[in-house]
Amino acid sequence: MFVRGLKRKCFDGEEDIEGTLAGIKAIPSYNLQRQSLLDMSLVKLQLCHMLVEPNLCRSVLIANTVRQIQEEMTQDGTWQMINTQSTGQAPVDRLVSTDILCRSSREQAEGKHVPGYSAFSKDFEGDQAQDRSETMSTASSVQAPRNLQSNVWEMENPQENKGNFQKSLDQIFETLENKSPNSVEDLFSEVDNSYYDLDTMLTGMMSNTKMGHCDGLEPFSSPTTTTSSSNCKSDLNELDHIVEILVES
Amino acid sequence: FLGAGGGNDIQWCFSQVKGAVDDDVAEADIISTVEFNHSGELLATGDKGGRVVIFQQEQENKTQSHSRGEYNVYSTFQSHEPEFDYLKSLEIEEKINKIRWLPQKNAAQFLLSTNDKTIKLWKISERDKRPEGYNLKEEDGRYRDPTTVTTLRVPVFRPMDLMVEASPRRIFANAHTYHINSISINSDYETYLSADDLRINLWHLEITDRSFNIVDIKPANMEELTEVITAAEFHPNSCNTFVYSSSKGTIRLCDMRASALCDRHSKLFEEPEDPSNRSFFSEIISSISDVKFSHSGRYMMTRDYLSVKIWDLNMENRPVETYQVHEYLRSKLCSLYENDCIFDKFECCWNGSDSIVMTGSYNNFFRMFDRNTKRDITLEASRENNKPRTVLKPRKVCASGKRKKDEISVDSLDFNKKILHTAWHPKENIIAVATTNNLYIFQDKMN
């Protein structure tokens, strides 16, 4: 009952589709919706790393939302459930993305994922070991080793469980706090044209804020398809930032 | 709603609109703050490009008694420039976050303007005469050979076209690690506070190389950070009292006499959460985006995402009044989270007599709540109602079900058109409402 109550308040479009057969079939499960909210939040935390210093209030609020979801999932036991659904090679308690709606198919193909997550696609598991060493050294272009983050943590802390997830949040905050002077040179070498593309991408994205993404039958699928192309492109540039941040910490 | 009848209800009329007409908004022109001065004669705006534009009200024309003076551009200056923080490899935006006027003490006007990192004190002065009659220089400006000067000529002041000059008198820099969200001038008119996400500093207007830290909520370990400061303001009458609001929906009132570092609040204002409305977005929508004391100093008003609350300073456990700004958005919070609108920071303001409060919404709507009659009204800032003295038509949003004629459904609201900044003249019924890049001025209908 509690779950149902939450569902109604939390997710949009419920009132519109209740009572129709087609609607009932199309309602994503609460767990799926919650999972995609989690995905969305983690993507948002990544997108914080723009040219200008990220808005700390927004980051804190998103991080708190993520923690809330994480806590609820832990209490639910869903945390464990998701892990057992994985393709098996990860440590038991690692959070696995159920590969959702907030990413376009193109992003999935490139193996993009969020820190603390591992996008489970069999294509990438083979590449993981090779890519690791490259990314550890510099924070340069991010063509191949995108799914490196989780592997780095895995290698460093094979026993790490949910702390993996928490760590990504913490690292984000530490980055907001300080970037070590040692990395200044690295950062300067990073300043290439992609920065300016990032700006254009983001302004393009921000103008795409009209409502209507989340209404109708599938609250979480529509936003991703309409904004995914711009998301994708900006994310490619932002991974520069992300990897560099993670490597610094 | 207001204007529905009764001799005392205000009928709002379009007066003026400032800014570019075209829909293509230049980023630098986005208005980021609006503030009347203490007399209401001057109206200042700050924008994303770091500029300040001040409008001055014309002196009332005795023959034109049907309208109050118009506001015309008085002064424009570049307050802040973009900077680059080399250590963090990040840009510091020149966007003006807040402007606060000092009360006028002499012929010149003073205001504080701030971006994310630096506060500046600006002096705005008029020059309408200049000395003429010097005989010490040649035509081209070179000094004449002193032996050729045979008479002593005392220059005389002659009138000239009015020139308004803005000059930076103080620059208060390097005191904030995080982004400044508020500045507030103390009632002693000698000190002011500046607040960023985690700290509040106290300054003396004359001293730029030092400030005192009076609030610090930064945790020892940044990983433990769960709450930030969102706004702060000095009490209008008690120079030792100020409040600050947080992202968790709390307001803390502090007394500077209690200790140097006001980490312990004197009062904590917080409304218990309504369990039936709990969702993953509860905390985000409870985050306070603005806090303003009433002119009397007895109340304070807070704005969170969906509502405006009035608090009696003597009662900490709940607000005395709550007004719903756009409750129809509650069922759309997920979409608004996805498109980031849920993080929009709306401001709020009091009228001069503290009887009406105003705040903005989406679709270029703004809302007013009359505390006495308990009536509210929704109006729109749009160029469609362009004729001066045209009474604004009240708007209504249809939340669900059948949409009546003239109502607008929630799904057709334009979330790119947000009114974040509004200001009310301290004495008259004149309001300034900022859309993305236009400033609208409305007045009540005079008979």
Side-chain angles (χ1 to χ4, degrees), chain B residues 66-283:
Chain B
H66 51 256
S67 72
R68 296 186 184 82
E70 278 200 343
Y71 282 84
N72 299 314
V73 177
Y74 178 66
S75 172
T76 305
F77 57 93
Q78 187 74 35
S79 171
H80 287 71
E81 300 276 1
E83 289 172 51
F84 196 78
D85 180 338
Y86 289 96
L87 198 63
K88 294 185 185 176
S89 192
L90 290 167
E91 277 186 12
I92 298 170
E93 274 194 307
E94 66 274 32
K95 172 169 70 84
I96 308 295
N97 293 336
K98 285 287 182 328
I99 290 173
R100 291 286 182 264
W101 290 93
L102 266 77
Q104 190 172 12
K105 283 193 282 193
N106 51 38
Q109 301 277 357
F110 288 86
L111 60 78
L112 285 176
S113 68
T114 186
N115 69 347
D116 284 338
K117 298 285 185 180
T118 305
I119 306 130
K120 295 187 184 181
L121 176 70
W122 288 89
K123 176 180 178 183
I124 297 111
S125 45
E126 290 184 6
R127 192 194 292 260
D128 62 355
K129 26 184 182 298
R130 63 164 167 244
E132 286 179 15
Y134 287 105
N135 63 343
L136 298 176
K137 290 186 187 173
E138 303 285 5
E139 296 283 324
D140 59 6
R142 284 178 303 139
Y143 276 102
R144 282 169 64 181
D145 178 357
T147 56
T148 64
V149 179
T150 54
T151 60
L152 176 68
R153 185 115 55 94
V154 178
V156 200
F157 275 105
R158 297 214 188 279
M160 60 177 260
D161 287 340
L162 178 67
M163 213 166 70
V164 181
E165 300 167 324
S167 59
R169 306 303 287 176
R170 306 269 185 278
I171 296 179
F172 305 91
N174 302 319
H176 286 280
T177 308
Y178 303 97
H179 290 180
I180 297 173
N181 52 56
S182 314
I183 46 175
S184 176
I185 298 171
N186 204 346
S187 50
D188 64 9
Y189 302 143
E190 285 184 351
T191 57
Y192 74 94
L193 64 76
S194 58
D196 67 30
D197 297 312
L198 298 179
R199 298 192 177 100
I200 303 179
N201 294 331
L202 180 70
W203 302 83
H204 192 286
L205 283 164
E206 299 292 329
I207 300 169
T208 58
D209 60 355
R210 248 176 299 151
S211 72
F212 292 99
N213 176 241
I214 52 177
V215 173
D216 188 340
I217 65 167
K218 183 181 171 201
N221 193 348
M222 274 297 267
E223 294 161 12
E224 292 161 10
L225 180 66
T226 58
E227 190 174 10
V228 301
I229 296 169
T230 52
E233 192 175 65
F234 265 118
H235 190 275
N237 307 320
S238 294
C239 58
N240 51 277
T241 306
F242 66 93
V243 293
Y244 69 92
S245 59
S246 83
S247 55
K248 286 198 174 170
T250 65
I251 309 103
R252 287 174 174 78
L253 184 137
C254 301
D255 186 334
M256 294 195 292
R257 295 171 301 188
S259 65
L261 186 62
C262 299
D263 273 354
R264 285 218 207 114
H265 51 263
S266 302
K267 295 195 185 189
L268 174 67
F269 298 84
E270 189 174 11
E271 184 172 25
E273 197 183 353
D274 176 7
S276 65
N277 265 335
R278 178 116 189 85
S279 76
F280 284 121
F281 306 109
S282 293
E283 186 184 311

Side-chain angles (χ1 to χ4, degrees), chain A residues 9 32 48 62 111 130 135 171 174 199 222 230 233 236:
Chain A
K9 269 121 195 149
L32 200 65
C48 285
I62 298 171
Q130 293 166 356
T135 349
Q171 283 172 343
E174 274 176 41
D199 200 24
S222 28
S230 49
K233 243 177 147 181
L236 290 179

